[in-house]
Amino acid sequence: MSTTSDIIVVTNRKGGTGKTTTAVNLAAEFAAGGERVLLLDLDTQGHCALGLGVRVESGRPTVHSVLQGQGALDEALLKTGWEGLDLVPADPDFQHGMMPDDDRVLARALQESSIAARYDRILIDSPPSLDALLFNALAVAHWALIPFVPHPLAGEGVRQLARVFFRVAMQSNADLRLLGLLPVMLDPRIGQHRKVCDQVAAQFGRERLLGGIRSDIKLAESFAAGRPIRDYAPRSRANQDYQAVFAAMRGRLAAG
């Protein structure tokens, strides 16, 4: 394990669950609170850079090149436009079969570069896949946050990921804990949304279900503008929701 105080992986095996949007906006929230924050983008779509308005030049080091043994993490660091928030970008050309069959590559890369000691918080945006990238993220994390769309198929995806989560926690990372399950694109007026949230709460415990992020076009607009929602639309309901979720998360993190 790394020596950093908290490493949070934002993960879901299903795509389209607001995973990257959540990772970007929570990273910005931690940084706005005065913490030194690093966002690691393991998802080869590379959308964390887009959400933070960071231009990644072709051929520069990425987290995926580091995981293949090409350089160190500190060589791949990029500053963002937000004080205290740095990014290690993804490589959109990375093919998942290129990853070594080793769940500890990321942990060693963090230790060898001493990056873990330079940040108060590290967030990992994991890929929506069951492969070595996901296992590397889970193997190094202290906490897992699982965003999900309250749809029956998404509920099944949460259950599948939970099995992977508990397997890693039992076999290779005893420090891994579930930070919470976060419904996104939520409309409390829709009965199906309420039903799926109730099912998730019944399986994992009501206390693990975070308040939820309501549907808001401002989130898509902020991402396209390359700005976190707290900066782009501070009065939006999406920002209100993320602020409430952030406050609940901080309480859980402080309690350990």
Side-chain angles (χ1 to χ4, degrees), residues 74-143:
D74 50 5
E75 298 171 351
L77 284 175
L78 284 173
K79 296 291 184 183
T80 73
W82 286 268
E83 184 176 356
L85 176 55
D86 295 339
L87 170 71
V88 176
D91 178 3
D93 295 326
F94 178 83
Q95 298 178 21
H96 288 240
M98 300 162 63
M99 182 70 186
D101 186 19
D102 182 348
D103 296 348
R104 305 299 299 174
V105 180
L106 180 57
R108 289 195 298 272
L110 284 167
Q111 291 169 348
E112 290 166 2
S113 64
S114 300
I115 277 185
R118 289 154 50 186
Y119 291 94
D120 301 305
R121 198 84 56 180
I122 295 176
L123 274 79
I124 303 173
D125 182 18
S126 78
S129 56
L130 183 62
D131 60 10
L133 286 174
L134 175 60
F135 282 107
N136 266 263
L138 292 173
V140 77
H142 299 95
W143 299 94

Coordinates of all heavy atoms in Angstrom, one line a residue, residues 74-143:
D74 N 5.9 10.8 -11.7 CA 6.1 12.3 -11.6 C 6.5 12.9 -13.0 O 6.3 14.1 -13.2 CB 7.2 12.6 -10.6 CG 8.5 11.8 -10.7 OD1 8.6 11.1 -11.7 OD2 9.4 12.0 -9.9
E75 N 6.9 12.1 -13.9 CA 7.2 12.6 -15.3 C 5.9 12.8 -16.0 O 5.9 13.5 -17.1 CB 8.1 11.7 -16.0 CG 9.5 11.5 -15.4 CD 10.3 10.4 -16.0 OE1 9.7 9.6 -16.9 OE2 11.5 10.2 -15.7
A76 N 4.8 12.2 -15.6 CA 3.5 12.3 -16.3 C 2.6 13.3 -15.7 O 1.5 13.6 -16.2 CB 2.9 10.9 -16.3
L77 N 3.0 14.0 -14.6 CA 2.2 15.0 -13.9 C 1.9 16.2 -14.8 O 2.7 16.7 -15.5 CB 2.8 15.5 -12.7 CG 2.9 14.5 -11.5 CD1 3.7 15.2 -10.3 CD2 1.4 14.3 -11.0
L78 N 0.6 16.7 -14.8 CA 0.2 17.9 -15.4 C -0.5 18.8 -14.4 O -1.3 18.3 -13.6 CB -0.7 17.6 -16.6 CG -0.1 17.0 -17.9 CD1 -1.2 16.7 -18.8 CD2 0.8 18.1 -18.5
K79 N -0.1 20.1 -14.4 CA -0.9 21.0 -13.6 C -2.2 21.3 -14.2 O -2.3 21.3 -15.5 CB -0.1 22.3 -13.5 CG 1.3 22.2 -12.7 CD 1.0 21.9 -11.3 CE 2.3 21.8 -10.5 NZ 2.1 21.5 -9.1
T80 N -3.2 21.6 -13.5 CA -4.5 22.0 -14.0 C -4.7 23.5 -13.7 O -3.8 24.1 -13.1 CB -5.7 21.2 -13.3 OG1 -5.8 21.7 -12.0 CG2 -5.4 19.7 -13.4
G81 N -5.8 24.0 -14.1 CA -6.1 25.5 -13.8 C -6.6 25.7 -12.4 O -6.9 26.9 -12.1
W82 N -6.6 24.7 -11.6 CA -7.1 24.8 -10.2 C -6.0 24.5 -9.2 O -5.4 23.5 -9.2 CB -8.3 23.9 -10.0 CG -9.5 24.5 -10.7 CD1 -10.4 25.3 -10.2 CD2 -9.8 24.3 -12.1 NE1 -11.3 25.7 -11.2 CE2 -11.0 25.1 -12.4 CE3 -9.2 23.6 -13.1 CZ2 -11.5 25.1 -13.6 CZ3 -9.8 23.7 -14.4 CH2 -10.9 24.4 -14.6
E83 N -5.8 25.5 -8.3 CA -4.7 25.4 -7.4 C -4.8 24.1 -6.5 O -5.9 23.8 -6.0 CB -4.6 26.6 -6.5 CG -3.4 26.6 -5.5 CD -3.4 27.9 -4.7 OE1 -4.2 28.8 -4.9 OE2 -2.5 28.0 -3.8
G84 N -3.7 23.4 -6.4 CA -3.7 22.2 -5.6 C -4.1 20.9 -6.3 O -4.1 19.9 -5.7
L85 N -4.6 21.0 -7.5 CA -5.1 19.9 -8.3 C -4.2 19.6 -9.5 O -4.1 20.4 -10.4 CB -6.5 20.1 -8.7 CG -7.2 19.1 -9.6 CD1 -7.2 17.7 -8.9 CD2 -8.6 19.5 -9.9
D86 N -3.6 18.4 -9.5 CA -2.8 17.9 -10.6 C -3.4 16.7 -11.2 O -4.3 16.0 -10.6 CB -1.4 17.5 -10.1 CG -0.6 18.8 -9.6 OD1 -0.9 19.9 -10.0 OD2 0.4 18.6 -8.8
L87 N -3.0 16.4 -12.4 CA -3.6 15.3 -13.2 C -2.5 14.4 -13.8 O -1.5 15.0 -14.3 CB -4.5 15.8 -14.3 CG -5.0 14.8 -15.3 CD1 -6.0 13.9 -14.8 CD2 -5.5 15.6 -16.6
V88 N -2.6 13.1 -13.7 CA -1.8 12.2 -14.5 C -2.8 11.7 -15.6 O -3.7 10.9 -15.2 CB -1.2 11.1 -13.7 CG1 -0.5 10.1 -14.7 CG2 -0.2 11.6 -12.7
P89 N -2.7 12.1 -16.9 CA -3.7 11.7 -17.9 C -3.6 10.3 -18.4 O -2.6 9.6 -18.1 CB -3.3 12.7 -19.0 CG -1.9 12.9 -18.9 CD -1.6 12.9 -17.4
A90 N -4.6 9.9 -19.1 CA -4.7 8.6 -19.7 C -4.1 8.6 -21.1 O -4.0 9.7 -21.7 CB -6.1 8.1 -19.7
D91 N -3.9 7.4 -21.6 CA -3.5 7.3 -23.0 C -4.7 6.6 -23.8 O -4.9 5.5 -23.6 CB -2.3 6.4 -23.1 CG -1.8 6.1 -24.5 OD1 -2.4 6.7 -25.5 OD2 -0.9 5.3 -24.7
P92 N -5.3 7.4 -24.7 CA -6.5 6.9 -25.4 C -6.1 5.7 -26.4 O -7.0 5.0 -26.8 CB -7.0 8.1 -26.2 CG -6.4 9.3 -25.5 CD -5.1 8.8 -24.9
D93 N -4.8 5.6 -26.7 CA -4.4 4.5 -27.6 C -4.0 3.3 -26.9 O -3.6 2.3 -27.5 CB -3.2 5.0 -28.4 CG -3.6 6.2 -29.4 OD1 -4.8 6.1 -29.9 OD2 -2.8 7.1 -29.6
F94 N -4.0 3.3 -25.5 CA -3.6 2.1 -24.8 C -4.6 1.0 -25.0 O -5.9 1.2 -24.9 CB -3.6 2.5 -23.3 CG -3.2 1.3 -22.4 CD1 -1.9 1.0 -22.2 CD2 -4.2 0.6 -21.7 CE1 -1.6 -0.1 -21.3 CE2 -3.9 -0.4 -20.9 CZ -2.6 -0.8 -20.7
Q95 N -4.1 -0.2 -25.2 CA -5.0 -1.4 -25.3 C -4.8 -2.2 -24.0 O -3.7 -2.4 -23.6 CB -4.5 -2.2 -26.5 CG -4.7 -1.5 -27.9 CD -4.2 -2.3 -29.0 OE1 -4.1 -3.5 -29.0 NE2 -3.9 -1.6 -30.1
H96 N -6.0 -2.6 -23.5 CA -6.0 -3.3 -22.2 C -5.1 -4.5 -22.1 O -4.6 -4.9 -21.1 CB -7.4 -3.6 -21.8 CG -8.2 -2.3 -21.4 ND1 -8.7 -2.1 -20.2 CD2 -8.5 -1.2 -22.1 CE1 -9.4 -0.9 -20.2 NE2 -9.2 -0.4 -21.3
G97 N -4.9 -5.2 -23.3 CA -4.1 -6.4 -23.3 C -2.6 -6.1 -23.1 O -1.8 -7.0 -22.9
M98 N -2.2 -4.8 -23.2 CA -0.8 -4.4 -23.0 C -0.4 -4.3 -21.6 O 0.8 -4.1 -21.3 CB -0.6 -3.0 -23.7 CG -0.9 -3.0 -25.2 SD -1.2 -1.4 -25.9 CE 0.4 -0.6 -25.7
M99 N -1.4 -4.4 -20.7 CA -1.1 -4.2 -19.2 C -0.5 -5.5 -18.7 O -1.0 -6.6 -18.9 CB -2.4 -3.9 -18.5 CG -2.3 -3.7 -17.0 SD -1.4 -2.1 -16.7 CE -1.2 -2.3 -14.9
P100 N 0.6 -5.4 -17.9 CA 1.2 -6.6 -17.3 C 0.2 -7.3 -16.4 O -0.6 -6.6 -15.8 CB 2.4 -6.0 -16.5 CG 2.7 -4.7 -17.1 CD 1.4 -4.2 -17.6
D101 N 0.3 -8.6 -16.3 CA -0.6 -9.3 -15.4 C -0.1 -9.3 -14.0 O 0.4 -10.2 -13.4 CB -0.7 -10.8 -15.9 CG -1.7 -11.6 -15.1 OD1 -2.6 -11.0 -14.5 OD2 -1.7 -12.8 -15.1
D102 N -0.3 -8.1 -13.4 CA 0.3 -7.8 -12.1 C -0.5 -6.7 -11.4 O -0.6 -5.6 -11.9 CB 1.8 -7.4 -12.2 CG 2.5 -7.1 -10.9 OD1 1.8 -7.1 -9.8 OD2 3.7 -6.9 -10.9
D103 N -1.1 -7.1 -10.3 CA -2.1 -6.1 -9.6 C -1.3 -5.1 -8.8 O -2.0 -4.2 -8.2 CB -3.0 -6.9 -8.7 CG -3.9 -7.8 -9.5 OD1 -4.0 -7.7 -10.7 OD2 -4.6 -8.7 -8.8
R104 N 0.0 -5.1 -8.7 CA 0.7 -4.2 -7.8 C 1.6 -3.2 -8.6 O 2.4 -2.5 -8.0 CB 1.6 -5.0 -6.9 CG 1.0 -6.1 -6.1 CD -0.1 -5.5 -5.2 NE 0.5 -4.6 -4.2 CZ -0.2 -3.9 -3.3 NH1 -1.6 -4.0 -3.3 NH2 0.4 -3.1 -2.5
V105 N 1.4 -3.1 -9.9 CA 2.2 -2.2 -10.7 C 1.9 -0.7 -10.3 O 2.9 0.1 -10.1 CB 1.9 -2.3 -12.2 CG1 2.8 -1.4 -13.0 CG2 2.2 -3.8 -12.7
L106 N 0.7 -0.3 -10.1 CA 0.4 1.0 -9.7 C 0.9 1.3 -8.3 O 1.4 2.4 -8.1 CB -1.1 1.3 -9.8 CG -1.6 2.7 -9.4 CD1 -0.9 3.7 -10.3 CD2 -3.1 2.8 -9.5
A107 N 0.7 0.4 -7.4 CA 1.2 0.6 -6.0 C 2.7 0.9 -6.0 O 3.2 1.8 -5.3 CB 0.9 -0.6 -5.2
R108 N 3.5 0.1 -6.8 CA 4.9 0.3 -6.9 C 5.3 1.6 -7.5 O 6.2 2.3 -7.1 CB 5.6 -0.9 -7.6 CG 5.6 -2.2 -6.9 CD 6.6 -3.2 -7.5 NE 6.2 -3.5 -8.8 CZ 5.3 -4.5 -9.1 NH1 4.8 -5.2 -8.2 NH2 5.1 -4.8 -10.4
A109 N 4.5 2.0 -8.6 CA 4.8 3.3 -9.2 C 4.6 4.5 -8.3 O 5.3 5.4 -8.3 CB 3.9 3.4 -10.5
L110 N 3.6 4.4 -7.5 CA 3.3 5.4 -6.5 C 4.4 5.5 -5.5 O 4.9 6.6 -5.1 CB 2.0 5.2 -5.8 CG 0.7 5.6 -6.6 CD1 -0.5 5.0 -5.9 CD2 0.6 7.1 -6.8
Q111 N 4.9 4.4 -5.0 CA 6.0 4.3 -4.0 C 7.3 4.8 -4.6 O 8.0 5.6 -3.9 CB 6.1 2.9 -3.4 CG 4.9 2.5 -2.6 CD 4.9 1.0 -2.3 OE1 5.7 0.2 -2.8 NE2 4.0 0.6 -1.4
E112 N 7.6 4.3 -5.8 CA 8.9 4.6 -6.4 C 9.1 6.1 -6.7 O 10.2 6.7 -6.6 CB 9.1 3.8 -7.6 CG 9.3 2.3 -7.3 CD 9.2 1.4 -8.5 OE1 9.0 2.0 -9.7 OE2 9.3 0.2 -8.4
S113 N 8.0 6.8 -7.1 CA 8.0 8.2 -7.4 C 7.9 9.1 -6.2 O 8.0 10.3 -6.3 CB 6.9 8.5 -8.4 OG 5.6 8.3 -7.8
S114 N 7.5 8.5 -5.0 CA 7.3 9.3 -3.8 C 6.1 10.3 -4.0 O 5.9 11.2 -3.2 CB 8.5 10.1 -3.4 OG 9.6 9.2 -3.1
I115 N 5.3 10.0 -5.0 CA 4.1 10.9 -5.2 C 3.2 10.8 -4.0 O 2.6 11.8 -3.6 CB 3.4 10.5 -6.5 CG1 4.2 11.2 -7.7 CG2 2.0 10.9 -6.5 CD1 3.5 11.0 -9.0
A116 N 3.0 9.6 -3.5 CA 2.0 9.5 -2.4 C 2.3 10.4 -1.2 O 1.3 10.9 -0.6 CB 2.0 8.0 -1.9
A117 N 3.5 10.7 -1.0 CA 3.9 11.6 0.2 C 3.7 13.0 -0.2 O 3.7 13.9 0.7 CB 5.3 11.3 0.6
R118 N 3.5 13.4 -1.4 CA 3.4 14.8 -1.8 C 1.9 15.3 -1.9 O 1.7 16.4 -2.2 CB 4.1 15.0 -3.2 CG 5.6 14.8 -3.1 CD 6.2 14.4 -4.4 NE 5.8 15.2 -5.5 CZ 6.2 14.8 -6.8 NH1 7.0 13.8 -7.0 NH2 5.8 15.6 -7.8
Y119 N 1.0 14.3 -1.8 CA -0.4 14.7 -1.9 C -1.2 14.3 -0.7 O -0.9 13.3 -0.1 CB -1.0 14.1 -3.2 CG -0.5 14.7 -4.4 CD1 0.6 14.1 -5.1 CD2 -1.1 15.8 -5.0 CE1 1.1 14.6 -6.3 CE2 -0.5 16.3 -6.2 CZ 0.5 15.8 -6.8 OH 1.0 16.3 -7.9
D120 N -2.2 15.1 -0.4 CA -3.1 14.7 0.7 C -4.2 13.7 0.3 O -4.6 12.9 1.1 CB -3.8 16.0 1.3 CG -2.9 17.0 1.7 OD1 -2.1 16.7 2.6 OD2 -3.0 18.2 1.2
R121 N -4.5 13.7 -1.0 CA -5.6 12.9 -1.5 C -5.2 12.5 -2.9 O -4.8 13.3 -3.7 CB -6.9 13.7 -1.5 CG -8.1 12.8 -1.6 CD -8.6 12.3 -0.3 NE -8.8 13.4 0.7 CZ -9.2 13.2 2.0 NH1 -9.4 12.0 2.4 NH2 -9.4 14.2 2.8
I122 N -5.5 11.2 -3.2 CA -5.3 10.7 -4.6 C -6.6 10.1 -5.0 O -7.2 9.3 -4.3 CB -4.2 9.7 -4.7 CG1 -2.8 10.4 -4.4 CG2 -4.2 9.1 -6.1 CD1 -1.6 9.4 -4.5
L123 N -7.2 10.6 -6.1 CA -8.4 10.0 -6.7 C -8.1 9.2 -8.0 O -7.3 9.7 -8.8 CB -9.5 11.1 -7.0 CG -10.3 11.4 -5.8 CD1 -9.6 12.4 -4.8 CD2 -11.6 12.1 -6.2
I124 N -8.6 8.1 -8.2 CA -8.4 7.3 -9.3 C -9.7 7.1 -10.1 O -10.7 6.6 -9.5 CB -7.8 5.9 -9.0 CG1 -6.5 6.0 -8.2 CG2 -7.6 5.1 -10.2 CD1 -6.0 4.7 -7.6
D125 N -9.7 7.5 -11.3 CA -10.9 7.2 -12.2 C -10.6 5.9 -12.9 O -9.7 5.8 -13.8 CB -11.1 8.3 -13.2 CG -12.3 8.1 -14.1 OD1 -13.1 7.3 -13.7 OD2 -12.4 8.7 -15.2
S126 N -11.3 4.8 -12.5 CA -10.9 3.5 -13.1 C -11.7 3.2 -14.3 O -12.8 3.8 -14.6 CB -11.2 2.4 -12.0 OG -12.6 2.1 -12.0
P127 N -11.2 2.3 -15.2 CA -12.0 2.0 -16.4 C -13.2 1.1 -16.1 O -13.2 0.3 -15.1 CB -10.9 1.2 -17.2 CG -10.0 0.6 -16.2 CD -10.0 1.6 -15.1
P128 N -14.2 1.1 -17.0 CA -15.4 0.2 -16.8 C -15.1 -1.1 -17.4 O -15.7 -1.6 -18.3 CB -16.5 1.0 -17.6 CG -15.7 1.7 -18.7 CD -14.4 2.1 -18.1
S129 N -14.1 -1.8 -16.8 CA -13.7 -3.1 -17.3 C -13.2 -4.0 -16.2 O -12.9 -3.5 -15.1 CB -12.6 -3.0 -18.3 OG -11.5 -2.3 -17.7
L130 N -13.2 -5.3 -16.4 CA -12.7 -6.3 -15.4 C -11.4 -6.8 -15.9 O -11.3 -7.8 -16.6 CB -13.7 -7.4 -15.2 CG -13.3 -8.4 -14.1 CD1 -13.2 -7.8 -12.8 CD2 -14.3 -9.6 -14.1
D131 N -10.3 -6.0 -15.6 CA -9.0 -6.4 -16.1 C -7.9 -5.9 -15.1 O -8.3 -5.5 -14.0 CB -8.8 -5.8 -17.5 CG -8.9 -4.3 -17.5 OD1 -8.9 -3.7 -16.4 OD2 -8.9 -3.8 -18.6
A132 N -6.7 -6.0 -15.5 CA -5.6 -5.6 -14.6 C -5.6 -4.2 -14.2 O -5.2 -3.8 -13.1 CB -4.2 -5.9 -15.2
L133 N -6.2 -3.3 -15.0 CA -6.3 -1.9 -14.6 C -7.2 -1.7 -13.4 O -6.9 -1.0 -12.5 CB -6.8 -1.0 -15.8 CG -5.8 -0.8 -17.0 CD1 -6.5 -0.1 -18.1 CD2 -4.6 0.1 -16.5
L134 N -8.4 -2.3 -13.5 CA -9.3 -2.2 -12.4 C -8.7 -2.8 -11.1 O -8.7 -2.3 -10.0 CB -10.6 -2.9 -12.7 CG -11.6 -3.0 -11.5 CD1 -12.0 -1.6 -11.1 CD2 -12.9 -3.8 -12.0
F135 N -8.0 -4.0 -11.2 CA -7.5 -4.6 -10.1 C -6.3 -3.8 -9.5 O -6.1 -3.8 -8.3 CB -7.0 -6.1 -10.4 CG -8.2 -7.0 -10.5 CD1 -8.6 -7.5 -11.7 CD2 -8.8 -7.5 -9.3 CE1 -9.7 -8.4 -11.8 CE2 -9.9 -8.4 -9.4 CZ -10.3 -8.8 -10.6
N136 N -5.5 -3.2 -10.3 CA -4.5 -2.3 -9.8 C -5.1 -1.1 -9.0 O -4.5 -0.7 -8.0 CB -3.6 -1.8 -11.0 CG -2.4 -2.6 -11.2 OD1 -1.3 -2.3 -10.8 ND2 -2.6 -3.7 -12.0
A137 N -6.2 -0.6 -9.5 CA -6.8 0.5 -8.8 C -7.3 0.1 -7.4 O -7.1 0.7 -6.4 CB -7.9 1.1 -9.6
L138 N -8.0 -1.1 -7.4 CA -8.6 -1.6 -6.2 C -7.5 -2.0 -5.2 O -7.6 -1.9 -4.0 CB -9.5 -2.7 -6.5 CG -10.8 -2.4 -7.2 CD1 -11.6 -3.7 -7.6 CD2 -11.7 -1.5 -6.4
A139 N -6.4 -2.5 -5.7 CA -5.3 -3.0 -4.9 C -4.6 -1.9 -4.1 O -4.0 -2.2 -3.1 CB -4.3 -3.8 -5.7
V140 N -4.6 -0.7 -4.7 CA -3.9 0.4 -4.0 C -4.8 1.3 -3.2 O -4.3 2.1 -2.4 CB -3.1 1.2 -5.1 CG1 -4.0 2.1 -5.9 CG2 -1.9 2.0 -4.5
A141 N -6.1 1.2 -3.4 CA -7.0 2.2 -2.8 C -7.3 1.9 -1.4 O -7.2 0.7 -0.9 CB -8.3 2.2 -3.6
H142 N -7.6 2.9 -0.6 CA -8.2 2.8 0.7 C -9.7 2.7 0.7 O -10.3 2.2 1.6 CB -7.7 3.9 1.6 CG -6.2 4.0 1.8 ND1 -5.4 4.8 1.0 CD2 -5.4 3.3 2.6 CE1 -4.2 4.7 1.4 NE2 -4.1 3.8 2.4
W143 N -10.3 3.5 -0.3 CA -11.7 3.6 -0.3 C -12.2 3.4 -1.8 O -11.5 3.8 -2.7 CB -12.2 5.0 0.1 CG -11.8 5.4 1.5 CD1 -10.7 6.1 1.9 CD2 -12.6 5.2 2.7 NE1 -10.7 6.3 3.3 CE2 -11.8 5.7 3.8 CE3 -13.8 4.5 2.9 CZ2 -12.3 5.7 5.1 CZ3 -14.3 4.5 4.2 CH2 -13.5 5.1 5.3

